[in-house]
Amino acid sequence: MTNEILQGPKCHTYETKDRLRGPKGAKYYQTRRRSSLYYMGGNACSMNCQNDWFEKFGEQAINHFGRIHEPIKCTIDNAWVKDRDYNTTTNEFDIYLFRNKITNERRPLTREQYNNPQIIRP
Ligand SMILES: [Zn+2]
């Protein structure tokens, strides 16, 4: 278990009541500690902190993880997605299928195949 959080580099400078701590005469703002952080994959308390983080570290992070130099292509071969269709007989979305995002070809799937994360293309 860890209480370590990332947070934005300016989190402690924002004037909100929940960041204000300390006894009278020795008050200070501190980085937010929240049980639920909804930004940066659970590491920042707000959109502001997420943006502050990216403004300060984004360039370094991108340089570290690399950029692409050529456009990446989604070709017919890897354009299959699992989809569901509405069944007018049962009035439910219980028709399972593979659909190709480029050709729009459809291939039937069973419910088990649809729910199996190992199966990603026909
Ligand atoms: Zn924050």
Side-chain angles (χ1 to χ4, degrees):
M1 201 200 95
T2 175
N3 282 324
E4 286 176 30
I5 50 174
L6 182 73
Q7 273 295 15
K10 296 186 206 162
C11 191
H12 61 287
T13 68
Y14 293 118
E15 299 171 39
T16 63
K17 279 187 178 160
D18 68 312
R19 289 178 172 97
L20 190 59
R21 300 295 173 87
K24 201 172 181 181
K27 297 239 179 247
Y28 56 89
Y29 288 109
Q30 81 170 24
T31 297
R32 255 183 189 156
R33 286 196 171 279
R34 277 184 173 173
S35 51
S36 309
L37 301 169
Y38 298 105
Y39 296 87
M40 290 192 72
N43 289 294
C45 72
S46 63
M47 186 77 83
N48 264 342
C49 281
Q50 175 175 296
N51 292 343
D52 291 343
W53 187 92
F54 194 83
E55 193 179 302
K56 186 167 182 184
F57 302 113
E59 188 75 9
Q60 280 173 262
I62 290 166
N63 288 338
H64 176 76
F65 292 108
R67 297 163 195 269
I68 61 168
H69 302 285
E70 294 294 329
I72 300 169
K73 293 170 182 161
C74 177
T75 59
I76 290 172
D77 279 351
N78 54 25
W80 293 98
V81 288
K82 286 178 172 176
D83 208 349
R84 288 162 71 169
D85 258 358
Y86 188 73
N87 185 335
T88 52
T89 308
T90 63
N91 292 321
E92 290 188 42
F93 283 90
D94 62 1
I95 296 173
Y96 302 93
L97 54 104
F98 267 121
R99 181 175 56 79
N100 192 290
K101 292 189 282 184
I102 295 173
T103 63
N104 210 31
E105 182 187 342
R106 287 149 183 268
R107 295 199 192 159
L109 268 180
T110 65
R111 186 165 189 257
E112 289 67 36
Q113 290 169 326
Y114 179 87
N115 290 322
N116 183 342
Q118 306 291 318
I119 299 174
I120 55 167
R121 68 183 64 178

